[in-house]
Structure formats: C-alpha cells, structure tokens
Amino acid sequence: MQNCIFSGHCMESRCDKSCPLLVQTTYLLERNDIPLNSSVFKTDPTKVSSICKILDDAKGSFRVVLDNQDTAAKSDIITYCAICQNWKGSQLHCVVYHLKFSQYVEEIQKSWSSRGGESENLEYIKIWTKSAKVLIISGIDFVNFKNFQCQTLLELLQQRNSNPDNTTILVSPPLSSLVGEGAFFSRLQDMMRKAVV
Amino acid sequence: MSRIYSNQNKIKFTSISERYQVDKACKGKVSELHAALITYVVGHFKNTKKYKQQVVDALNIMTYAVYAGDMLPANWKISSPLDNIPEFDSDLIEDTLGDVLLTVDSIDWDVSPTNNTSEVTTSSNPKPIVANTSSSQQVRRSAPKPAVSSTSVRQTPKQDLYIQSPVVPRFDYSKPWIRGHEGADDLVIYTTLPEIPTKQNEISCTTDVTKMTHLELMNLYPTTLVHTRAPLMYEHIEGLDYEDDIGVLLPIEGYTRDQLVDNIIQYPHFYKLSRMIGDNMYSFYTHIELDGQLCGILDVWDSLSDTRKIPRQKEFIKEYVVRKYLLDLTIKKVEYKYPLYGSLDPFLTLFMPADNYVQRGYSDIEQIAKQCVVSRVKYKQSRNPVIRRLDHAKLYI
C-alpha cells in the first residue's frame, strides 16, 4: 500500500494503512497510472480550481477540453481532480477512469489477430469505460481517424450519453490538428465542436 | 398550502443562503447555489419589480433543481446566475417546493440598487454580507449591524475555513517532512503545498508559520463574516441571549456575557472533539466532567443548573459541554481529569474579516492570524496518526 495523499492533514484515530480513504484513493490512483511522484500533486492551485469547475459544469454530460501543449499531462490532472471529487463512497469501484484512446484502439486491433479473442486487459478497459462515473479520454492526438477509429469513439460516446449520470471529458488538441478523413470524421468533429468548454 | 415566507414573515434577501428552511438533505447544495446568486445580485441589484421577480424565479428554480435532482443546464454559469436559467412549469415548482416557495413579497430586499456591473473585491474595508433576521425585540445588539455594500465583496467560501483537507490535496513528493518505518509500513508525510497557505484549510502538519510574511498572514482572514458554529446557534431561541454575528449565548454559571462572547470569538468552531476514557476514545460531548466525576451527559442534563432554558438537542448539548470545558480551562484554570484529546488552541478558525476583530477589541490582527496558523498546525499534529505511530516508536529517519 502506498502512502496517503491526505497524510499531512489526516486526523484519523489510527493509521493502519487500511482506512477507506487511503484504500479508495490508492485504488483509483493506481488504476489510472498516477504514481505518488507524479507532477499532478504539484499542480498550480488556479489550474486545479478551473479544472474542478470544468468537472462540476460537465456533470452528466460530454465535454471537450482543448489543450495545445500536453494533452497527456492535462488529462492526468483532470483525472486526479475527478478522483478527489469522487473517491468517497466509491467502494473500490472504478468510478473515475482515464482511457488512452490510441492504446484502446490498438488493443482492439490486436484482439482481431489473437487466437484467444479479447485479452483480459481489453475486457477490463471496456468494463471501466462503460461503468465509470467520470471517464476522461485522451490520446486522440496519435490516432489517424479513419472510419473504424471514428465509429469506435462515436459509439463509445453514444454509449456513455445513454446514462445521464455519466460524465465524459475528452482531452483533445485543437480540433483543426486532428488527423482523419471520411463522413464519420466530420461527424465526430462536429460533435466535439459543440462540446468544447 | 400555507407558506413559511409571506409578507407577514419575510426572509432577508442576504440571509437566504443561511436561513432558508429547506430539506436538510438538500441544504448544502441549495445554500451554495443561493449564495452564488445573492453575491451576484448584491453587485447588480435593480430595484424594479421585474428584476426582483427574475431573482425570485431563479431562487425557486435552483431549489427545485436540487429537490428534483435535475441538472442546471450546461450553459448556466455560477458567475452569471441569472442567464440561461431553464424554464420549468411554475405549477410543478409550486407543488414541489410547497411551503418554502419564495415570492417577491416574502423577501425583505435588504440590498441597495447599484450601477456597478462589475464585481469588486474590497479587502481594506470589507462589509459583511451576512445579516441576521430578528423578529424578537429581546435581542441584544452590542455590535453595529453589518451593512450591505453597494459593491459586492467576493465571499470567502465556507470550505476555505474548514479544518479538513482541501478537496484536492497537493504535496511535494520530493520533500518528505517526516519519514520512518514501523513494522512493515513505510510511513511518510510529504510537505503539503502550497507551503505558504493562502486559505485556512491549506494549513497542515507541515506548515511553518515562521516563513509567512505579514501579508500572507493577513490573507487568511475571510473577506466576509462566515457562520462557523452549528446552524442552530444562529437561530433566536426564546429565553436565550443572542449576539449578532456571534449567535446564541448559552448560560454557563460563573461566567459573564463578555467572557462567553470572547470565548466564542476565540473558539468559533468545534470539529471532531474527543477524549480518552480508559483505553477508548469517545466523542467529547457524550460525557461531562463534574467535580472530577465523569457523567453521561444525557443522564445528568436535566439536573444541571444551567440547562433549564437550553433545548435538549444534540447541537446545544455539544455546544454547552465544550463551551463550559473551555471556559473552565481558560478562565478558572480547572484541571480536568478527562481532558480533550489533542490540542485546541484559540483562533483555530478566523471567521470574520480582520477589521471586525479590531472593532471587537482584538487589535493585534497579525498576531491573531499567526495564532491561527500555530493552532491549526498543533491541532493537526496532535491528532495525526502517522506522527503518533512514529513518535511512539521513535522511528524518525
């Protein structure tokens, strides 16, 4: 068990490294690949406030956050803030999940040529992507959006939208810099344009 | 259906976020939304029927949205709360809100019209927005009633004053403040960020008051008065004394009114107080120590000389037990056999702007802010389980 992000403020009666707060936050941080030496813990407070506001405003909807510098870092910060807002009562459910879309597409494509079908990893990604209360999607900068990639993302977004409790945040570079083609790509861009924060 | 608020029983506009009698489960969210609207309206108020109606509609819709679990639309912004308000069926709102529905006539519009359209933060001469309603003629008013400024003050959110950690904690992994091993556990407290706190709730075990400048200390004061005691303490209770901004004063034998007020100013907030009885930790309020004997509070409550006029309610019992303990400790210097667990020093919470402290005779405001930091650090260190584990084992590295 790693150390606790709240330890400097903690006033629990004892620390046996198994209190719900530590267990739930640790689970969500590990699930989302955020180690304790991550830079998210040093994020500028004004950035934290603005991201918390984006998350508050986005509750139950789909939003696109644009970033022209480092979408991976931005999505990690959003994921951390979402974890802090949602860990309470999560009971070790993956309530916040950061999906790296390029890796997801790669996993799907790998599964086509695999004899055993979908890997366990892919199955879990699909479960968490579907069930997470807050889903953060990044990694679309590295995707060439052809029909399959567009359809996968559109279907995922549609699936998320069918549950009014789901919040979906897509972290994207400026829309003009996305690479893709075809009718589905225009549709995806339209959809994203309408959801830009 | 009869309504709680009418033209005979008006609620002050600036008190709505505090006093509006809404279902307890929704109180927090409703209060937060109403507070945002009030802050905005104070800075943009127009004394017209149309504007007031717009504000009332917004208040009711906010309450309805929370009651019904409906989301306010995505384009609704807390910074411009009168824009993009969704339309709901007025009958539906009336049915849902029932007796807490607000109308223009049920509100005492204690705000002045302003031409100022931009919000201004005034820190040099802050005017608290919080105002107390009083229908009782018996209420003593020793302090001038706070006026509502024509320019709105950015209200310090109540959560900035919390003892608990900020929602999104920040720390410097490269700077362990304390580290050690006990058993199989590697125990670490990293230096929290910001190292110089900008809000009271950012003060942690690792905060070093000696690094703070005068301005940084002054920054910890809220811009407006914040009610930090339990909400019931700000209700007028028949037979109990009341002071504006401070709230209800419970009678405690042997102490004067001034001593009570002073004690509340120094200790305006109780959070998770406990004491050791034998090997077990109990909530501080479940027992009271009388002449060295520990008694169950409910067993002796009715026989205490002070409690005849005090409602037999949890919040009042808590307030009485702790307040009496603090007064005994600080004024009579009574040594309790079963003291409070951990430290509780004065000015743990600064609940009003620095000017208000000065007005009340607490002139050394820098020292008070410093005391706030020291008290908080001590409060947290004395309760921190990681420090305790390492302390017991003397296992610091």
Side-chain angles (χ1 to χ4, degrees):
Chain A
M1 183 65 71
Q2 67 176 24
N3 281 296
C4 182
I5 57 172
F6 291 99
S7 61
H9 293 275
C10 183
M11 290 176 290
E12 292 295 320
S13 54
R14 63 176 61 85
C15 175
D16 53 7
K17 292 216 163 190
S18 63
C19 78
L21 187 153
L22 174 59
V23 173
Q24 290 172 122
T25 52
T26 303
Y27 168 75
L28 289 168
L29 290 170
E30 286 181 356
R31 177 67 57 231
N32 290 291
D33 300 323
I34 302 179
L36 279 190
N37 60 1
S38 163
S39 60
V40 297
F41 301 111
K42 286 183 173 182
T43 310
D44 178 73
T46 48
K47 204 181 243 180
V48 169
S49 318
S50 73
I51 286 172
C52 286
K53 184 161 180 348
I54 289 172
L55 285 164
D56 285 341
D57 292 346
K59 261 179 199 161
S61 62
F62 164 59
R63 294 294 165 85
V64 173
V65 175
L66 297 179
D67 188 278
N68 54 12
Q69 289 175 331
D70 187 347
T71 53
K74 182 78 166 239
S75 42
D76 275 344
I77 298 169
I78 297 175
T79 306
Y80 176 54
C81 291
I83 289 172
C84 290
Q85 288 186 340
N86 291 282
W87 67 266
K88 216 173 260 183
S90 60
Q91 299 179 322
L92 298 185
H93 289 120
C94 189
V95 289
V96 177
Y97 186 59
H98 178 185
L99 175 72
K100 283 132 186 162
F101 188 71
S102 55
Q103 289 175 16
Y104 177 51
V105 169
E106 208 174 295
E107 283 281 338
I108 294 174
Q109 287 171 334
K110 246 197 271 176
S111 73
W112 296 338
S113 54
S114 161
R115 279 188 189 170
E118 285 186 359
S119 65
E120 200 180 335
N121 186 28
L122 180 59
E123 277 181 32
Y124 274 115
I125 292 177
K126 284 187 173 174
I127 291 168
W128 294 324
T129 299
K130 191 177 174 189
S131 63
K133 193 172 150 193
V134 183
L135 178 72
I136 295 98
I137 306 172
S138 70
I140 64 169
D141 340 26
F142 320 116
V143 176
N144 184 359
F145 280 99
K146 296 185 178 167
N147 280 351
F148 166 69
Q149 289 79 0
C150 290
Q151 280 171 311
T152 305
L153 186 52
L154 284 166
E155 195 184 316
L156 191 155
L157 295 175
Q158 193 182 27
Q159 192 184 52
R160 299 277 307 165
N161 279 346
S162 62
N163 185 341
D165 293 331
N166 284 346
T167 302
T168 310
I169 310 271
L170 178 56
V171 184
S172 166
L175 299 187
S176 56
S177 68
L178 290 177
V179 179
E181 60 193 35
F184 285 116
F185 184 57
S186 325
R187 203 159 145 202
L188 179 65
Q189 280 185 310
D190 280 349
M191 194 173 173
M192 287 173 66
R193 203 166 288 123
K194 283 178 195 157
V196 169
V197 175
Chain B
M1 175 181 287
S2 65
R3 294 194 183 133
I4 295 175
Y5 308 107
S6 61
N7 50 4
Q8 271 89 43
N9 182 31
K10 294 189 181 198
I11 180 168
K12 286 200 177 186
F13 179 70
T14 54
S15 303
I16 288 174
S17 74
E18 290 276 341
R19 289 165 177 263
Y20 185 55
Q21 290 182 22
V22 69
D23 188 273
K24 262 189 184 169
C26 308
K27 177 78 183 165
K29 189 67 193 164
V30 171
S31 172
E32 188 188 319
L33 291 169
H34 284 178
L37 181 67
I38 291 165
T39 307
Y40 176 84
V41 170
V42 168
H44 299 80
F45 186 67
K46 292 175 200 149
N47 195 13
T48 63
K49 179 98 180 169
K50 191 179 166 192
Y51 186 82
K52 287 177 181 172
Q53 188 60 53
Q54 203 185 350
V55 173
V56 168
D57 288 346
L59 285 165
N60 285 330
I61 285 168
M62 284 169 169
T63 314
Y64 171 80
V66 178
Y67 262 41
D70 276 4
M71 296 292 294
L72 286 164
N75 57 357
W76 180 83
K77 301 271 178 257
I78 210 155
S79 52
S80 52
L82 290 178
D83 299 335
N84 303 314
I85 281 278
E87 282 185 18
F88 288 108
D89 182 350
S90 57
D91 290 342
L92 189 65
I93 292 179
E94 223 173 306
D95 287 349
T96 308
L97 266 54
D99 59 356
V100 294
L101 187 88
L102 292 170
T103 59
V104 172
D105 297 333
S106 67
I107 293 175
D108 176 3
W109 296 90
D110 56 338
V111 267
S112 331
T114 175
N115 295 323
N116 194 344
T117 52
S118 62
E119 291 198 356
V120 179
T121 303
T122 54
S123 55
S124 57
N125 186 21
K127 304 268 187 190
I129 288 175
V130 176
N132 291 300
T133 49
S134 164
S135 54
S136 164
Q137 293 304 309
Q138 298 165 352
V139 177
R140 283 178 66 174
R141 294 174 189 280
S142 62
K145 189 129 183 124
V148 173
S149 168
S150 59
T151 53
S152 101
V153 178
R154 189 196 75 86
Q155 275 184 293
T156 301
K158 201 172 183 172
Q159 50 268 39
D160 287 4
L161 275 52
Y162 285 175
I163 310 277
Q164 300 102 301
S165 154
V167 174
V168 180
R170 297 183 310 116
F171 56 86
D172 188 345
Y173 180 80
S174 64
K175 279 190 187 172
W177 178 76
I178 187 175
R179 163 163 248 154
H181 298 277
E182 199 207 18
D185 290 335
D186 169 37
L187 301 165
V188 189
I189 297 177
Y190 301 107
T191 304
T192 59
L193 296 174
E195 282 192 59
I196 302 299
T198 57
K199 303 165 182 173
Q200 292 178 49
N201 72 342
E202 289 171 347
I203 300 169
S204 76
C205 287
T206 72
T207 306
D208 182 356
V209 71
T210 60
K211 289 182 180 168
M212 296 178 74
T213 63
H214 171 78
L215 270 179
E216 287 159 353
L217 286 163
M218 296 308 289
N219 213 14
L220 296 173
Y221 283 97
T223 54
T224 55
L225 188 137
V226 180
H227 283 174
T228 50
R229 300 172 73 198
L232 262 180
M233 297 302 130
Y234 298 98
E235 302 284 336
H236 291 268
I237 309 288
E238 206 180 317
L240 293 182
D241 201 355
Y242 188 94
E243 165 123 355
D244 278 352
D245 300 343
I246 301 295
V248 170
L249 307 174
L250 300 186
I252 299 176
E253 206 178 310
Y255 300 103
T256 65
R257 187 179 194 280
D258 286 347
Q259 286 172 327
L260 277 169
V261 171
D262 175 58
N263 194 270
I264 294 171
I265 291 172
Q266 292 193 45
Y267 303 92
H269 180 216
F270 305 139
Y271 176 69
K272 281 195 176 176
L273 299 179
S274 55
R275 68 173 125 207
M276 292 287 282
I277 304 176
D279 289 337
N280 297 317
M281 192 85 84
Y282 288 86
S283 173
F284 192 79
Y285 333 104
T286 55
H287 294 77
I288 186 166
E289 188 178 320
L290 301 169
D291 302 325
Q293 293 293 317
L294 205 57
C295 312
I297 186 66
L298 293 179
D299 299 335
V300 296
W301 181 258
D302 293 328
S303 61
L304 297 172
S305 56
D306 295 325
T307 56
R308 203 166 34 87
K309 288 180 180 172
I310 305 176
R312 204 176 197 268
Q313 288 177 30
K314 193 176 165 188
E315 293 303 338
F316 286 100
I317 293 174
K318 277 184 181 180
E319 170 74 20
Y320 177 79
V321 174
V322 183
R323 194 65 64 199
K324 180 170 163 42
Y325 171 80
L326 290 171
L327 286 161
D328 285 350
L329 201 70
T330 55
I331 296 174
K332 289 188 180 163
K333 313 286 181 202
V334 174
E335 281 196 21
Y336 271 68
K337 276 191 190 168
Y338 302 92
L340 189 74
Y341 181 82
S343 87
L344 179 62
D345 287 350
F347 301 107
L348 182 74
T349 302
L350 303 173
F351 68 101
M352 52 187 178
D355 286 359
N356 295 33
Y357 280 92
V358 175
Q359 280 165 24
R360 286 185 172 274
Y362 302 86
S363 52
D364 194 349
I365 46 177
E366 183 183 329
Q367 187 52 40
I368 289 173
K370 210 176 265 180
Q371 179 61 46
C372 166
V373 181
V374 171
S375 296
R376 282 196 177 228
V377 172
K378 223 170 134 191
Y379 186 95
K380 291 195 171 176
Q381 287 185 356
S382 64
R383 288 167 176 79
N384 188 285
V386 175
I387 295 179
R388 197 158 53 242
R389 273 185 77 178
L390 292 175
D391 239 358
H392 284 168
K394 302 262 180 281
L395 287 169
Y396 303 109
I397 288 178

